[in-house]
Amino acid sequence: MKMLSSVTAEMQRTGIRRLAVLAGEPDWCYQQAQQWRAALTGDWLCLSEDPQLPNSVAPSALRNLLGQEFRHAIFDARQGFHSEAFAALAGTLSAGSWLLLLTPPWDAWPQHPDSDSLRWSESDAPIATPHFVAHLQRQLCADRQLLLHRQHQPCRQPTPLTLPDWRPVGAQQQRRLLHHFLQAQPGIYVLTAARGRGKSALAGMLMQHWPGRCLVTAPAKVSTAVLARFAGERFVFIAPDALLASAAPPEADWLIIDEAAAIPAPLLQRLITRFPRVLLTTTVQGYEGTGRGFLLKFCAALPQAHFYQLEEPLRWRQGDPLESRIHAALMLDEATGVANRASPQALTISACGRDNGPRLLALYQLLTSAHYRTTPLDLRRLMDAPGQQFIAAESACGEVSGAAWLVAEGGLTAALAWQVWAGLRRPRGNLVAQSLAAHAGFPQAAQLRSQRISRIAVAPGLRRQQVGRRMIDAAREQAQGLDYLSVSFGFTEELWRFWQRCGFTLARIATQREASSGCYSAMAIYPLSEAGKQLSQQAEQQLARDLYWLQPLIDQPIPLTIVSQQALDEADWLTLGGFAFAHRSFEVSLPALGRLLLVTAQGEELALYRMIMQRQPPASLAAALGLSGRKALLSHWREEAQQLMRLLDATRCDRLRDAIARKLIDGN
């Protein structure tokens, strides 16, 4: 501790921050942290679930602190490593600060259960995360700029740096851009920056100083807290869907779209046409995902857009040791791009195991460059979550040019699968398998064993050259013994053509657009067994029948031949039973309820008729019936369904009710 004050003063002079790793038993880590706190004056914000540590804040609550500035902090990883919170905490620290990382004993850490794994592993209890911890330990050992103190071992001090005095220039760059925006003519302006460069603050200053009116929109209002603080009383937020709902846009000189890369491209395209000046801000690297794909796919197509970048950090020196280490450890730096020297035919398609760390990280970087929402949480899932498999397209020199990520699904017991179908249970994981049971009405989909293609990416220079299809072929080969492959995607004609050419059958489509993509969520399957083939055929036939009712709710054509014959069949009776006697939702039961209304020839005295045939809004319908709200209306619909089913066949109705009750207990 004797040298600590002088080292910290030197860090302050040169504008850098450092990481200090304290690895040992919980009590030893606590005592060391207390000694640091006593030796150095500062805020000492602590991210920890341990109330024993002073000034402790739960990692999940860190968002409330973003945009603020602290001197010195502690990150408690003794029970679990919340990677996004770790990166975010580092971004709040000013020059001259230390970030203490408390970990379990160094040698035991790889096998130590990590409580954070409950967020991403789909496991019921914390699991050890040996691959991620080994990667992190390699990064920490290789960095001579951090302090590493392991219990019972000498403390490794950071190597001194020879740096000139730090003269902050980030604020100057910020002021220059603000002056430019205050003189801006009508047009589209794109502002990108890494974390800590003052991008949101600059947007808030523009609102504060612009003589006319500015509006802000963003994926979530909570993420605009920094912008709002700098805008002051002039801050006005309107959600993207509310901006588009009105026939005429609100009067404003500027629309500021914060974190624009997280808003679906179709919505962005509509938003930027409604205001004279538009500022799109996005983060090009960081713990919440990458905006590089946003720049490549959306901004490049904007006519005469003006591009600006904030490069200098506001609170620390460019090239700061703490930022550099965190970016390297959590893979936050964006890939420079695959050189694409290999021809598609020369690529080798093969499985990628976790034992090949460098290859797995190269695969992750390619996926990151293609998917905006890839975050450190995905890195943790990729490295240690159970049931993950990977396929890489690789050149002879070892360059990863294609990547596919597959996740094991299914294998639920019959009783649990029927409970999912009935709307009673929704266990972790099994995205497609559970959705086909809960929404499409096929409980066997959750019982069968399958793999979901979670992500797939090909380097830009090798796209449309069959690389993706070859990886799907490889996935199909390694999945022999399973019942089907599945995929969930935002429906576009181009994407559906790709999956169709790969042999997939469309099994489900939602009637509400996804917030993440602006598209309708679609699911498709490729059968691998006889049971899988039967499921695929039944799902496709059922969707073609249901589109008679669903297509009017979807404002783009779905390329299936709609079946006009709408008589009730056995599957409809089962769906109706799930709605009337269990908890299947109205939305997934709508086609069967529509057919029930046709067969029984009931009229507008029924609330079901007025909702399905006349499409009356639920709120006004509930009010007209004297019901308290949507929940009471749903109960009313279920009662009407029971009455109509009894009108058709009371005996069959009673047998169905009893059969469903048995299935929910034992699956038979």
Side-chain angles (χ1 to χ4, degrees):
M1 292 292 170
K2 293 179 181 178
M3 296 177 56
L4 197 53
S5 295
S6 60
V7 171
T8 304
E10 182 68 8
M11 290 163 53
Q12 178 71 45
R13 182 187 67 80
T14 56
I16 67 171
R17 308 157 311 152
R18 281 196 171 104
L19 181 67
V21 182
L22 306 177
E25 298 295 337
D27 288 344
W28 180 86
C29 287
Y30 174 76
Q31 292 166 5
Q32 290 294 315
Q34 290 298 88
Q35 291 178 28
W36 276 76
R37 288 172 54 87
L40 297 175
T41 302
D43 300 296
W44 287 110
L45 175 68
C46 179
L47 251 62
S48 175
E49 302 285 358
D50 183 358
Q52 183 184 14
L53 289 168
N55 301 333
S56 60
V57 176
S60 58
L62 182 68
R63 180 174 287 276
N64 299 328
L65 304 173
L66 296 183
Q68 299 184 47
E69 184 173 317
F70 301 98
R71 183 166 177 81
H72 307 312
I74 300 170
F75 185 85
D76 185 4
R78 292 174 297 172
Q79 298 302 318
F81 192 94
H82 191 304
S83 50
E84 304 99 299
F86 180 58
L89 178 61
T92 69
L93 297 180
S94 59
S97 292
W98 287 93
L99 175 55
L100 303 191
L101 172 61
L102 313 184
T103 79
W106 191 262
D107 293 335
W109 190 9
Q111 298 306 322
H112 193 279
D114 188 320
S115 61
D116 187 66
S117 64
L118 294 173
R119 289 194 305 134
W120 47 262
S121 70
E122 297 173 0
S123 300
D124 294 327
I127 62 171
T129 58
H131 297 96
F132 175 77
V133 171
H135 160 74
L136 189 56
Q137 288 180 326
R138 284 192 297 270
Q139 291 285 331
L140 299 177
C141 286
D143 186 357
R144 305 301 298 187
Q145 281 304 303
L146 61 79
L147 182 148
L148 179 57
H149 192 182
R150 308 184 210 180
Q151 188 176 8
H152 308 306
Q153 292 193 23
C155 178
R156 192 191 79 182
Q157 298 289 338
T159 302
L161 288 173
T162 304
L163 293 171
D165 290 355
W166 177 50
R167 290 180 172 79
V169 296
Q172 298 172 22
Q173 185 185 23
Q174 196 181 53
R175 285 193 295 271
R176 284 196 301 270
L177 280 182
L178 175 61
H179 177 76
H180 183 82
F181 290 147
L182 289 172
Q183 310 297 321
Q185 298 299 309
I188 298 171
Y189 299 82
V190 181
L191 176 62
T192 60
R195 293 283 168 191
R197 270 63 179 174
K199 166 177 52 64
S200 295
L202 174 57
M205 293 176 195
L206 175 59
M207 291 192 81
Q208 176 65 250
H209 295 287
W210 182 261
R213 189 170 189 241
C214 304
L215 298 177
V216 174
T217 194
K221 187 177 181 180
V222 68
S223 66
T224 63
V226 175
L227 195 158
R229 194 164 72 250
F230 281 87
E233 295 179 354
R234 306 199 65 188
F235 178 77
V236 180
F237 178 88
I238 303 179
D241 53 350
L243 275 176
L244 295 172
S246 57
E251 293 247 347
D253 299 322
W254 279 97
L255 174 66
I256 298 171
I257 307 178
D258 198 33
E259 291 302 345
I263 294 177
L267 269 65
L268 273 182
Q269 195 66 55
R270 294 167 61 194
L271 286 169
I272 64 175
T273 63
R274 309 195 103 199
F275 296 87
R277 296 171 187 81
V278 178
L279 175 63
L280 300 102
T281 76
T282 200
T283 305
V284 291
Q285 63 181 181
Y287 51 88
E288 291 181 334
T290 170
R292 187 67 63 193
F294 167 76
L295 287 174
L296 293 175
K297 296 174 185 176
F298 184 78
C299 293
L302 293 178
Q304 300 177 334
H306 307 277
F307 294 87
Y308 302 90
Q309 186 168 4
L310 285 169
E311 298 172 344
E312 290 288 336
L314 291 177
R315 292 190 285 271
W316 59 84
R317 187 189 204 102
Q318 185 82 288
D320 166 70
L322 179 61
E323 183 178 57
S324 299
R325 181 47 46 206
I326 288 177
H327 282 189
L330 300 183
M331 305 292 289
L332 299 179
D333 287 317
E334 299 193 355
T336 55
V338 178
N340 304 328
R341 290 183 291 270
S343 68
Q345 295 75 22
L347 294 176
T348 301
I349 312 293
S350 61
C352 177
R354 284 172 167 157
D355 54 339
N356 190 331
R359 192 176 181 219
L360 190 65
L361 292 176
L363 181 146
Y364 174 78
Q365 280 206 300
L366 180 59
L367 289 170
T368 299
S369 69
H371 296 272
Y372 170 73
R373 292 182 176 274
T374 304
T375 72
L377 184 142
D378 295 296
L379 177 63
R380 304 221 56 195
R381 181 182 291 120
L382 175 137
M383 286 188 147
D384 287 298
Q388 318 291 305
Q389 287 191 294
F390 312 97
I391 292 171
E394 202 170 11
S395 68
C397 65
E399 203 170 56
V400 175
S401 302
W405 185 347
L406 296 95
V407 181
E409 292 198 348
L412 275 62
T413 64
L416 180 54
W418 277 101
Q419 289 163 14
V420 170
W421 169 88
L424 296 171
R425 295 281 303 277
R426 199 65 193 268
R428 292 183 175 194
N430 297 289
L431 172 68
V432 171
Q434 287 202 71
S435 182
L436 292 180
H439 302 130
F442 297 103
Q444 69 268 35
Q447 296 173 254
L448 299 176
R449 295 174 61 244
S450 62
Q451 276 189 333
R452 172 171 56 89
I453 301 168
S454 172
R455 301 193 182 186
I456 184 168
V458 176
L462 293 169
R463 290 173 188 164
R464 302 182 187 278
Q465 299 185 61
Q466 301 296 308
V467 178
R469 186 166 182 175
R470 287 175 62 196
M471 288 193 293
I472 299 301
D473 290 342
R476 198 162 51 231
E477 287 297 317
Q478 61 86 37
Q480 294 305 313
L482 300 181
D483 294 297
Y484 63 92
L485 292 177
S486 70
V487 64
S488 175
F489 61 99
F491 188 90
T492 65
E493 287 188 23
E494 182 181 19
L495 265 181
W496 169 235
R497 279 198 301 271
F498 170 76
W499 292 112
Q500 192 176 36
R501 289 182 189 128
C502 291
F504 283 72
T505 298
L506 197 61
R508 178 181 178 262
I509 189 157
T511 56
Q512 299 289 327
R513 292 186 183 272
E514 287 182 313
S516 60
S517 69
C519 301
Y520 296 101
S521 175
M523 294 179 178
I525 57 179
Y526 184 97
L528 297 169
S529 68
E530 283 303 314
K533 188 179 297 184
Q534 185 178 20
L535 172 65
S536 173
Q537 292 171 349
Q538 290 176 345
E540 184 178 40
Q541 292 166 5
Q542 186 68 47
L543 183 57
R545 290 185 79 224
D546 290 351
L547 273 177
Y548 179 89
W549 304 92
L550 301 181
Q551 183 65 82
L553 307 176
I554 302 171
D555 59 8
Q556 73 180 90
I558 304 303
L560 284 179
T561 302
I562 297 176
V563 175
S564 57
Q565 198 280 329
Q566 291 290 307
L568 278 180
D569 61 14
E570 191 70 28
D572 289 326
W573 270 94
L574 186 58
T575 297
L576 292 169
F579 179 75
F581 304 120
H583 293 272
R584 284 185 64 76
S585 72
F586 172 80
E587 287 74 17
V588 303
S589 309
L590 187 151
L593 290 168
R595 287 188 277 270
L596 178 64
L597 289 171
L598 289 180
V599 171
T600 55
Q602 297 299 301
E604 59 185 61
E605 69 278 1
L606 292 177
L608 281 172
Y609 184 93
R610 292 159 71 179
M611 179 67 188
I612 296 172
M613 300 301 193
Q614 297 179 340
R615 297 185 198 164
Q616 293 185 20
S620 60
L621 182 54
L625 294 169
L627 299 173
S628 58
R630 176 73 186 231
K631 187 175 181 181
L633 181 61
L634 180 59
S635 297
H636 188 80
W637 283 334
R638 294 193 198 279
E639 291 171 4
E640 287 187 346
Q642 292 178 28
Q643 293 167 9
L644 293 177
M645 292 165 69
R646 291 186 182 284
L647 186 64
L648 278 182
D649 192 331
T651 302
R652 184 176 188 178
C653 186
D654 290 337
R655 285 202 307 265
L656 180 60
R657 181 195 59 209
D658 296 341
I660 289 174
R662 286 194 303 273
K663 287 180 182 298
L664 296 181
I665 295 172
D666 57 20
N668 297 317

